[in-house]
Amino acid sequence: MIHDLKTWPEHFRDVRAGIKTAELRLNDRNYQPGDVLVLREYDPQEDEYTGEVETRRVSHILASDNWLQPNVVMISMSDTVCSCCWGTGEDPFPVNDEGPLEFTRCGQCEGTGEWEKRGERDASRT
């Protein structure tokens, strides 16, 4: 599952730098190991998203009433996930009338973000 999350600048910077590898969150989304977190930097002073995005895979969930408040989990994050398909290998925004697009190098796109549609490159997707 993919979770789109608002992340304040001070936390976002630390995730991007590799310093912050865990996150405390309400468990209102049933987080599970293997899920993908799409962390979107949000500036609360401007009340808007900055456009910066980091993606991470959930490696572990700590949910224990002995250590945390009820309905709060600590999410451990590992490896950066391809932001083109968020590690799914599928187009996150399929064109409904023409069928889904197919990702050419899932998770290993080397930053190209290239998609193919029926054997031809779809320039509108990059």
Side-chain angles (χ1 to χ4, degrees):
M1 178 164 288
I2 298 169
H3 303 283
D4 198 0
L5 302 173
K6 184 186 293 185
T7 309
W8 287 26
E10 57 271 21
H11 303 294
F12 184 87
R13 282 189 300 270
D14 288 346
V15 168
R16 178 168 275 176
I19 298 167
K20 184 174 178 25
T21 59
E23 179 86 12
L24 287 173
R25 291 270 178 170
L26 287 176
N27 195 18
D28 56 353
R29 299 171 185 237
N30 191 28
Y31 298 104
Q32 297 294 318
D35 287 356
V36 174
L37 306 179
V38 180
L39 305 170
R40 299 188 186 278
E41 185 179 34
Y42 177 80
D43 185 341
Q45 294 176 348
E46 297 294 325
D47 193 27
E48 65 185 15
Y49 290 93
T50 67
E52 295 295 316
V53 177
E54 286 289 319
T55 54
R56 297 291 186 273
R57 188 169 309 283
V58 175
S59 59
H60 181 264
I61 299 291
L62 174 64
S64 170
D65 291 341
N66 292 334
W67 304 104
L68 300 168
Q69 294 178 3
N71 205 32
V72 172
V73 293
M74 184 174 72
I75 303 168
S76 296
M77 302 176 281
S78 65
D79 61 358
T80 301
V81 177
C82 174
S83 60
C84 302
C85 66
W86 298 319
T88 65
E90 298 175 3
D91 179 5
F93 307 105
V95 180
N96 294 329
D97 60 340
E98 298 180 19
L101 303 177
E102 193 171 303
F103 192 65
T104 59
R105 283 171 262 165
C106 173
Q108 302 297 320
C109 71
E110 299 171 4
T112 64
E114 291 187 11
W115 293 83
E116 285 185 292
K117 184 169 87 173
R118 297 184 184 150
E120 295 181 12
R121 183 147 160 40
D122 182 3
S124 69
R125 291 296 184 163
T126 57

